Amino acid sequence: MSLTVLGCQTPYPKPDQPCSGYLLRMGPSIVWVDAGPGTFAELQRHVGLADIDAIWISHLHPDHCADLLSAWNAFVNTPSLSRPVVFGPPGWVERVDAMLGQDGAVGSVFITQEVCDGDALRIGSVDVSAWQVEHSVPAFGLRAQYRDRVFAYSADSGPCPQLADLARSAHVLVIEAGADTPQPHHCTPEEAGDVATASQVSRVILTHVSPGVAPEHALWRLQTRFAGSADLGRSGLTVPV
């Protein structure tokens, strides 16, 4: 059981630094969590396209979903591949169809599902649940459990009670720090640390750090509020769950 960071750059990709995307392997199930630009290529360093069971799109900002178009292009041109299920926020299918310029394009390649707050879902042998978090557009964090191991992903979110519930007792929490100072739609590093402490998580991966903050300084700021294990997200980082 492992998590691999495909990318966590914000708000746009840079050379060798894709935007948000994560590869979650829990038992036999493989989930691509968020599809920021650059992450589709990185994904293929680690798994084959035929291995992907599901794709989770937390919200429709391009730094979290743009490479879904690349994935569609790959799957539509490789008809021998089985269709993964794609979970996304309400209206995601129509939005992607509009970008592709063809009604029904997404459903012809992917098994599509919209998620709502509190949805309890199953991906292979993994129990997953959707938690709506506080962002400028509808956004859904992910909690995944395989046997007794728990992974949690905040998506983009400002401080809100749902974050602590989403992350409760997780073995690995991926949480963003897209704000330098407090704001409604992203956490500061200190707020990310508060969530991790309140949730009693075992390990934190800090990602999506505000462009105005040095990543190492952001990690230090988180560690002033969280005494547990903490790492900076970077492309290629793999940790056990």
Side-chain angles (χ1 to χ4, degrees), residues 1 24-29 31 33 56 119-131 142-153 165-172 241:
M1 295 175 287
L24 180 62
R25 289 179 267 207
M26 300 188 78
S29 300
V31 185
V33 180
W56 182 277
D119 280 354
L121 309 161
R122 188 85 170 170
I123 300 173
S125 53
V126 180
D127 293 311
V128 301
S129 54
W131 297 70
L142 168 68
R143 182 180 174 93
Q145 181 167 353
Y146 176 70
R147 297 179 178 171
D148 64 341
R149 309 300 292 181
V150 175
F151 165 81
Y153 172 54
D165 292 335
L166 161 68
R168 187 77 57 201
S169 300
H171 295 92
V172 173
V241 174

Side-chain angles (χ1 to χ4, degrees), residues 4 22 28 33 49 65 67 78 93 96 115 122 135 139 161 166 215:
T4 298
Y22 308 90
V33 180
L49 299 184
C65 72
D67 259 13
T78 316
V93 174
V96 177
V115 299
R122 188 85 170 170
H135 198 44
L166 161 68

